[in-house]
Amino acid sequence: MDKKLSLRTMGLSQFTTILSALLFLRQVAGVTQPTNPNIIIILIDDMGFNDVSFHGSNQILTPNIDAFAYNGVILNRYYVPNLCTPSRAALLTGKYPIHNGMQHFVQIPDEPWGLPLGERLMPQFFRDAGYSTQLVGKWHLGFWRQDHTPIMRGFDHHFGYYNGYIDYYDHTHYMLDRNYTAGADFRRDLQRCHSDNGTYATEAFTKEARRIIEQHDLSRPLFMVLSHLAVHTGNENQPMQAPYEEVAKFVHISDPKRRTYAGMVSSLDKSVGQTIRALSDRGMLNNSIVLLYSDNGAPTLGIHSNSGSNHPFRGQKESPWEGGIRSAGAIWSPLLQKSSYVSDQVIHAIDWLPTLASAAGVALPDHLNIDGVNMWPTLTENLEPQPRTLLHVLDDVFGYSSYMRDNLKYVNGSRFEGRFDSWLGELDAGEIDPLSTFYVQQVLSSEVQQVLGSNSLTSEHIKQLRAHASHHCSINGTIHLQPVYLCHPLQAPCYFNLTNDPCEHYNLANLYPLQVQQLEKEVNEFRLKAVESARVPIPDLRANPALHENYWEWWNDTETETVTSGAEKWGSNLLNLIWRYCASYFDFAYK
Ligand SMILES: *[C@@H]1O[C@H](CO)[C@@H](O)[C@H](O)[C@H]1NC(C)=O
Ligand SMILES: *[C@@H]1O[C@H](CO)[C@@H](O)[C@H](O)[C@H]1NC(C)=O
Ligand SMILES: *[C@@H]1O[C@H](CO)[C@@H](O)[C@H](O)[C@H]1NC(C)=O
Ligand SMILES: *[C@@H]1O[C@H](CO)[C@@H](O)[C@H](O)[C@H]1NC(C)=O
Ligand SMILES: *[C@@H]1O[C@H](CO)[C@@H](O)[C@H](O)[C@H]1NC(C)=O
Ligand SMILES: *[C@@H]1O[C@H](CO)[C@@H](O)[C@H](O)[C@H]1NC(C)=O
Ligand SMILES: *[C@@H]1O[C@H](CO)[C@@H](O)[C@H](O)[C@H]1NC(C)=O
């Protein structure tokens, strides 16, 4: 007997009895059990490790973010994939990009692909456990078909955009090297939305996050990803955008680009204060876990560069170096037994699915085959850091890899012909914020500190935490090293011991050839188990916003995914190869 039939044959009275019994059970559960904790993930785009002041910089002060970090746990060795699309996929699936097909580049607006539909995502698990699931801001995991969009993938609601970036004010996405019209890229769920046109994106998203919190049904837990545009660049015609009054705070920064960037960071810092305040005002904060981090390192130079700084780490976004993959991050929750400390545990974006699920009491299905591990016990009890093995990058199309076992690091190949392989974004020691003289007072008087109101956080403790989280490398990377230590990853693999060389100055490959071979073998083992890249690097002209009333919109929503035949696969491999050659000529970069 099928379900429809049984409902039809069931008497109305029986049906209402069952229904009211279910409603009663739900009410009882709501009254007698505390709901699972709210999960709030504040995801920042392209912010440098050195662009929050809790890592020691006095150039751009971030008192709210710092107060958040000092009251919680500073994730001092937090790793992420080096690009937007793979990083977001890793967060939502708990898998390495080579295990969900997202290892090669980012989703370009007119390419017909996205995070494979076979993947089950974090919001789906939380929704199944009774959470209200909300995405505010950026998606960037595909939208060519409606079934790839966020509300088809576990989010009850989405307010924001699909592409890698938009204009901060008019919320359009202009595609750099195609002859398309600019398209609006802003939606509420599936509906085109222009109500906030003209509002600075950071403010529009913060306003929406506050609305969600204020109107949240308190009988259910909330799962919200607040995925900011900040501090990514806007469109190419006007990449750097920040409210005038925010930029005006940074007269001590002489480079106008960096000054505007500081305004973008400052606006974001304000948003963190307002979001934490909203959670507190609604009485939700005391049962919340709030995670904040940047999806990847800052692009200091090159296309989409925002002048962010990952100094003293080497390289930048979309590079194999620590500057691309070490993210500024912190986690705060009253559920953490130990807090106000700096964690030196190596943690990766793939760990959040099992970690947050465990902390929230959300059961994950067996045999999920995720790569991440549950870090909650380590974080909550501040356990002794354990060594980890992490595959940072394995992109055989662009031809580069980055891998770490314990603290031993292997780098083979690079991007952009190695142009961004050095130590970038060093800040001028003379350009410091005059208010930094009163740094501790700035933190203590921030909105976040007022809300969290922890009296135990003393000036002395703040200074200690800040010193622990500040990074200096013993030598200046741009000075001459002995030739034996130089690394040319486009010619031969490099090998570093991060224990005493976190800035990747000393390539030890010539001294330890056997270790290099061993690491290479381990990378090859990962390679053997990698799934094929899901990227379809073929522009589909039907994406042109001109064909969708000047909106970015799915352009194939009728058919379902078909299994590709051998011949088609061969064809697409050939196109892949052609693309590879083209891509090495143009630095296409929509991230
Ligand atoms: C670009 O688009 C415009 C308007 O659709 C068209 O007139 C022009 O020929 C196109 N240029 C190229 C290079 O395709
Ligand atoms: C906002 O307004 C501008 C100017 O009218 C328009 O070009 C743009 O498409 C609008 N954006 C959205 C998201 O509607
Ligand atoms: C959190 O705070 C609210 C409002 O102050 C209170 O009703 C609730 O019992 C508190 N919950 C917990 C878990 O402390
Ligand atoms: C190192 O990079 C080169 C050039 O891309 C490639 O031919 C080689 O297979 C790579 N080695 C490993 C172990 O990945
Ligand atoms: C590092 O070396 C470069 C090039 O010689 C120089 O411009 C820079 O000021 C040096 N930085 C420090 C901290 O010594
Ligand atoms: C890495 O450096 C640390 C600190 O100097 C040292 O104890 C360790 O033995 C080194 N590891 C290898 C494999 O050389
Ligand atoms: C939609 O995409 C499928 C591949 O998933 C393709 O076979 C089909 O032709 C497309 N349909 C349209 C209308 O573009």
Side-chain angles (χ1 to χ4, degrees), residues 107-126:
Q107 204 273 329
I108 307 286
D110 62 356
E111 288 178 356
W113 65 290
L115 179 57
L117 297 177
E119 297 296 337
R120 295 195 65 202
L121 310 187
M122 197 190 287
Q124 291 176 287
F125 298 120
F126 279 81

Side-chain angles (χ1 to χ4, degrees), residues 508-522:
L508 306 175
N510 293 317
L511 309 178
Y512 299 98
L514 293 180
Q515 272 94 327
V516 177
Q517 274 176 28
Q518 176 56 32
L519 293 180
E520 196 149 86
K521 209 177 117 216
E522 292 168 21

